Amino acid sequence: MTEKTPRAALPESSCAYLLQELKMIWNEVGQDQNERERILEELEQECQEVYRRKVNSANMSRIQLHQALAESEAEFTNLLLSLGERSFPGRPEKMAGTLKEQLNSITPALQEMQMRKEARLKQFIEVQTEIQRTASEIAGRLGNKAVTVNEEDLSLKKLEEFQSELQRLKREKSDRLCKVEEYKVLIHNFAKVMGMDPSKILASVHPRLLDGPNEQQTKNISDDILKKLNVTVEQLKEEKNNRREKLQNLVKALTNLWDTLDTTMEERQPYGQIKIAMTSVNGMLGPGSLTLETIQQVESEVQRLNQLKASKMKELFLKKRAEVDEICKKSHMDMPYQTEMDKIMNLIMSGDVVHNDLLKTMDEYIYKAKEEATSRKDIMDKVEKWMASCDEERWLEKYSRDERRYSISRGAHKHLKRAERARIIVNKIPGLVEQLMAKTQFWEHERNKIFYYDELPLLAMLKDYMLTLKEKEEEKYRQRENKKIQTLLVKRHENTLMLRPNTSFSRQSSRGFNSPGSTSIWSSQSFCQTSTTT
């Protein structure tokens, strides 16, 4: 420290230059040597303190760099674990260089991993939020809580699990929404047919059933809502069926009353559409077809017609009885149920009769009469044919007795042709009667009763006719035989006259046969009569 350094060789800001200046000042002042040493010792201590502070500061910086590097590495490792990744391409395999170089090398990879974590965390939040919202809609919970994400597990595997759960919930939600929509459509259709307000019906199930202003608002599609909708639909369906059945019965009764009372088409017109809807095959009902007003309207009309029918019951009974009479008259059969209908008439006069039962009974009588007439139709057709043949037979007999039938007169050829046709028809009568008897016998055997024609047994009539026909045939045969005998006797008489030689008798005979206006006892007519008498 006692060495002298040229002043110009040291920079003015260096410690050596300042120490040299201090020594020069001390020399010039004459500072004591002990004082000089004390001051130099103080300066040395102060310099050590300054260096110590600098070393401590540098050491702290080094420690902080080590800690920052360790924290970065730990954070990087945690990020890899939370994201479920084993490695990251941007991270250096081996750390080399100074601490600052190592920290600077890991910082970009760490920032990239942090960005990836934030993006992954956002995905988890979105998926879990959607899961919570969908699950709340399915469970019927109102409002959503804040989503809590487990940041320790942000792996793609976990994200895929949440996404799978979300897809399952979305499918379930979609199915439930479809069911709800189906229920809503059914409710609207039922309400439309029955004249109800569907919004009020849905409001009774849930005040805000699927009426959110946007897709973000929670919708209630819980099991409870589906159950309530199903119960509502079943109730509406049952109500519709009840109304339809009631209206169908009313329309059926109305139609029967129309037919019974012969109601005009103008009076039926207001209820024409209702009848068409109730009797259509496909069963499609238009809007307002089953309203309470419609049912009450038809019910009032049925009540009115029932009262009118009660007043016309006697007229109605007589009309249906006349229908039975007409059926019997056309079929030439006895009036059935005569006693029963007399009793019904007495009940009508006394007012002690159920109208529907009366109509049913009379309709049964008409049905049975028609059934009886139908069973007789085949026989009646042959009876009519037989009657027509008998008419032809009577005409032919009358025609055969007419001595002028072969005279030349106007229309004679037409009568001749008719006679030819009549002979053909008459020749078929025996076969027709035999068939008719066989059918009548079969009919009587099958039903175990007698076939009457105008209160007479048909089979007896046919047998009488056959007997008469047989007698006629026998009479014709006797007439033919008598005619042959008469002809033979005339010929024998003529031959006898021709063989006698008495001329006076011959002349007398000539005069008798040849003179005009003379009558002979030997005429053929007198002889035939005499022979017939004999």
mmCIF file of all heavy atoms in Angstrom, residues 74-86 113 151-155:
data_model
loop_
_atom_site.group_PDB
_atom_site.id
_atom_site.type_symbol
_atom_site.label_atom_id
_atom_site.label_comp_id
_atom_site.label_asym_id
_atom_site.label_seq_id
_atom_site.Cartn_x
_atom_site.Cartn_y
_atom_site.Cartn_z
ATOM 1 N N ALA A 74 -41.786 -29.093 -11.872
ATOM 2 C CA ALA A 74 -42.883 -29.756 -11.165
ATOM 3 C C ALA A 74 -44.238 -29.431 -11.813
ATOM 4 O O ALA A 74 -45.093 -30.315 -11.987
ATOM 5 C CB ALA A 74 -42.875 -29.331 -9.698
ATOM 6 N N GLU A 75 -44.404 -28.150 -12.147
ATOM 7 C CA GLU A 75 -45.660 -27.761 -12.798
ATOM 8 C C GLU A 75 -45.812 -28.449 -14.146
ATOM 9 O O GLU A 75 -46.908 -28.900 -14.512
ATOM 10 C CB GLU A 75 -45.699 -26.247 -12.956
ATOM 11 C CG GLU A 75 -47.008 -25.754 -13.553
ATOM 12 C CD GLU A 75 -47.049 -24.235 -13.682
ATOM 13 O OE1 GLU A 75 -46.056 -23.570 -13.334
ATOM 14 O OE2 GLU A 75 -48.098 -23.730 -14.156
ATOM 15 N N PHE A 76 -44.717 -28.533 -14.889
ATOM 16 C CA PHE A 76 -44.753 -29.201 -16.175
ATOM 17 C C PHE A 76 -45.153 -30.670 -16.010
ATOM 18 O O PHE A 76 -45.979 -31.215 -16.755
ATOM 19 C CB PHE A 76 -43.397 -29.073 -16.864
ATOM 20 C CG PHE A 76 -43.410 -29.495 -18.299
ATOM 21 C CD1 PHE A 76 -43.724 -28.591 -19.280
ATOM 22 C CD2 PHE A 76 -43.124 -30.814 -18.666
ATOM 23 C CE1 PHE A 76 -43.737 -28.978 -20.615
ATOM 24 C CE2 PHE A 76 -43.145 -31.200 -19.992
ATOM 25 C CZ PHE A 76 -43.449 -30.274 -20.974
ATOM 26 N N THR A 77 -44.532 -31.294 -14.984
ATOM 27 C CA THR A 77 -44.851 -32.707 -14.723
ATOM 28 C C THR A 77 -46.314 -32.866 -14.321
ATOM 29 O O THR A 77 -47.012 -33.791 -14.764
ATOM 30 C CB THR A 77 -43.930 -33.246 -13.622
ATOM 31 O OG1 THR A 77 -42.553 -33.088 -14.031
ATOM 32 C CG2 THR A 77 -44.220 -34.712 -13.360
ATOM 33 N N ASN A 78 -46.797 -31.952 -13.440
ATOM 34 C CA ASN A 78 -48.209 -32.018 -13.023
ATOM 35 C C ASN A 78 -49.155 -31.805 -14.210
ATOM 36 O O ASN A 78 -50.204 -32.453 -14.295
ATOM 37 C CB ASN A 78 -48.481 -30.970 -11.951
ATOM 38 C CG ASN A 78 -47.811 -31.327 -10.623
ATOM 39 O OD1 ASN A 78 -47.588 -32.514 -10.335
ATOM 40 N ND2 ASN A 78 -47.477 -30.324 -9.832
ATOM 41 N N LEU A 79 -48.758 -30.890 -15.074
ATOM 42 C CA LEU A 79 -49.588 -30.663 -16.258
ATOM 43 C C LEU A 79 -49.639 -31.900 -17.143
ATOM 44 O O LEU A 79 -50.709 -32.268 -17.672
ATOM 45 C CB LEU A 79 -49.070 -29.465 -17.057
ATOM 46 C CG LEU A 79 -49.302 -28.095 -16.411
ATOM 47 C CD1 LEU A 79 -48.594 -27.012 -17.222
ATOM 48 C CD2 LEU A 79 -50.787 -27.790 -16.327
ATOM 49 N N LEU A 80 -48.502 -32.547 -17.304
ATOM 50 C CA LEU A 80 -48.481 -33.783 -18.085
ATOM 51 C C LEU A 80 -49.383 -34.835 -17.451
ATOM 52 O O LEU A 80 -50.148 -35.525 -18.136
ATOM 53 C CB LEU A 80 -47.050 -34.305 -18.194
ATOM 54 C CG LEU A 80 -46.109 -33.586 -19.162
ATOM 55 C CD1 LEU A 80 -44.709 -34.180 -19.066
ATOM 56 C CD2 LEU A 80 -46.619 -33.698 -20.595
ATOM 57 N N LEU A 81 -49.302 -34.934 -16.097
ATOM 58 C CA LEU A 81 -50.119 -35.934 -15.411
ATOM 59 C C LEU A 81 -51.607 -35.599 -15.492
ATOM 60 O O LEU A 81 -52.448 -36.481 -15.726
ATOM 61 C CB LEU A 81 -49.676 -36.033 -13.946
ATOM 62 C CG LEU A 81 -48.268 -36.613 -13.706
ATOM 63 C CD1 LEU A 81 -47.902 -36.541 -12.230
ATOM 64 C CD2 LEU A 81 -48.191 -38.057 -14.187
ATOM 65 N N SER A 82 -51.940 -34.323 -15.272
ATOM 66 C CA SER A 82 -53.351 -33.941 -15.301
ATOM 67 C C SER A 82 -53.948 -34.084 -16.694
ATOM 68 O O SER A 82 -55.126 -34.445 -16.849
ATOM 69 C CB SER A 82 -53.517 -32.502 -14.799
ATOM 70 O OG SER A 82 -52.849 -31.596 -15.680
ATOM 71 N N LEU A 83 -53.137 -33.806 -17.711
ATOM 72 C CA LEU A 83 -53.628 -33.954 -19.084
ATOM 73 C C LEU A 83 -53.527 -35.383 -19.590
ATOM 74 O O LEU A 83 -53.957 -35.678 -20.715
ATOM 75 C CB LEU A 83 -52.860 -33.027 -20.020
ATOM 76 C CG LEU A 83 -53.052 -31.517 -19.781
ATOM 77 C CD1 LEU A 83 -52.146 -30.705 -20.703
ATOM 78 C CD2 LEU A 83 -54.503 -31.126 -20.000
ATOM 79 N N GLY A 84 -52.929 -36.248 -18.762
ATOM 80 C CA GLY A 84 -52.859 -37.654 -19.135
ATOM 81 C C GLY A 84 -51.879 -37.926 -20.248
ATOM 82 O O GLY A 84 -52.085 -38.876 -21.018
ATOM 83 N N GLU A 85 -50.817 -37.140 -20.324
ATOM 84 C CA GLU A 85 -49.807 -37.314 -21.363
ATOM 85 C C GLU A 85 -48.501 -37.733 -20.719
ATOM 86 O O GLU A 85 -48.140 -37.273 -19.630
ATOM 87 C CB GLU A 85 -49.636 -36.023 -22.156
ATOM 88 C CG GLU A 85 -50.915 -35.586 -22.871
ATOM 89 C CD GLU A 85 -50.699 -34.306 -23.671
ATOM 90 O OE1 GLU A 85 -49.550 -33.842 -23.687
ATOM 91 O OE2 GLU A 85 -51.683 -33.809 -24.251
ATOM 92 N N ARG A 86 -47.792 -38.593 -21.429
ATOM 93 C CA ARG A 86 -46.517 -39.094 -20.900
ATOM 94 C C ARG A 86 -45.349 -38.169 -21.221
ATOM 95 O O ARG A 86 -44.388 -38.102 -20.474
ATOM 96 C CB ARG A 86 -46.245 -40.484 -21.460
ATOM 97 C CG ARG A 86 -47.278 -41.527 -21.013
ATOM 98 C CD ARG A 86 -46.917 -42.878 -21.574
ATOM 99 N NE ARG A 86 -47.897 -43.887 -21.122
ATOM 100 C CZ ARG A 86 -47.830 -45.163 -21.461
ATOM 101 N NH1 ARG A 86 -46.843 -45.592 -22.260
ATOM 102 N NH2 ARG A 86 -48.737 -45.991 -21.010
ATOM 103 N N MET A 113 -48.015 -25.943 -22.382
ATOM 104 C CA MET A 113 -48.819 -26.886 -21.599
ATOM 105 C C MET A 113 -49.917 -26.168 -20.827
ATOM 106 O O MET A 113 -51.028 -26.678 -20.693
ATOM 107 C CB MET A 113 -47.910 -27.649 -20.629
ATOM 108 C CG MET A 113 -46.993 -28.656 -21.308
ATOM 109 S SD MET A 113 -47.905 -29.970 -22.135
ATOM 110 C CE MET A 113 -48.600 -30.816 -20.744
ATOM 111 N N GLU A 151 -59.359 -30.629 -11.688
ATOM 112 C CA GLU A 151 -58.222 -30.269 -12.541
ATOM 113 C C GLU A 151 -57.087 -31.261 -12.447
ATOM 114 O O GLU A 151 -56.134 -31.168 -13.231
ATOM 115 C CB GLU A 151 -57.718 -28.862 -12.177
ATOM 116 C CG GLU A 151 -58.766 -27.782 -12.403
ATOM 117 C CD GLU A 151 -58.210 -26.392 -12.200
ATOM 118 O OE1 GLU A 151 -56.972 -26.285 -12.094
ATOM 119 O OE2 GLU A 151 -59.003 -25.438 -12.142
ATOM 120 N N GLU A 152 -57.163 -32.182 -11.516
ATOM 121 C CA GLU A 152 -56.094 -33.179 -11.415
ATOM 122 C C GLU A 152 -56.217 -34.255 -12.489
ATOM 123 O O GLU A 152 -55.258 -34.965 -12.757
ATOM 124 C CB GLU A 152 -56.127 -33.820 -10.032
ATOM 125 C CG GLU A 152 -55.771 -32.861 -8.909
ATOM 126 C CD GLU A 152 -55.764 -33.555 -7.564
ATOM 127 O OE1 GLU A 152 -56.066 -34.775 -7.534
ATOM 128 O OE2 GLU A 152 -55.456 -32.888 -6.559
ATOM 129 N N ASP A 153 -57.381 -34.378 -13.051
ATOM 130 C CA ASP A 153 -57.586 -35.379 -14.114
ATOM 131 C C ASP A 153 -58.285 -34.704 -15.288
ATOM 132 O O ASP A 153 -59.517 -34.634 -15.345
ATOM 133 C CB ASP A 153 -58.414 -36.551 -13.600
ATOM 134 C CG ASP A 153 -58.457 -37.708 -14.604
ATOM 135 O OD1 ASP A 153 -57.825 -37.578 -15.685
ATOM 136 O OD2 ASP A 153 -59.104 -38.735 -14.314
ATOM 137 N N LEU A 154 -57.512 -34.188 -16.232
ATOM 138 C CA LEU A 154 -58.018 -33.545 -17.448
ATOM 139 C C LEU A 154 -57.599 -34.335 -18.684
ATOM 140 O O LEU A 154 -57.413 -33.778 -19.762
ATOM 141 C CB LEU A 154 -57.514 -32.102 -17.548
ATOM 142 C CG LEU A 154 -57.913 -31.157 -16.410
ATOM 143 C CD1 LEU A 154 -57.269 -29.792 -16.600
ATOM 144 C CD2 LEU A 154 -59.420 -31.007 -16.346
ATOM 145 N N SER A 155 -57.507 -35.637 -18.515
ATOM 146 C CA SER A 155 -57.028 -36.474 -19.610
ATOM 147 C C SER A 155 -58.104 -36.606 -20.680
ATOM 148 O O SER A 155 -59.297 -36.366 -20.453
ATOM 149 C CB SER A 155 -56.636 -37.854 -19.085
ATOM 150 O OG SER A 155 -57.765 -38.492 -18.518
#
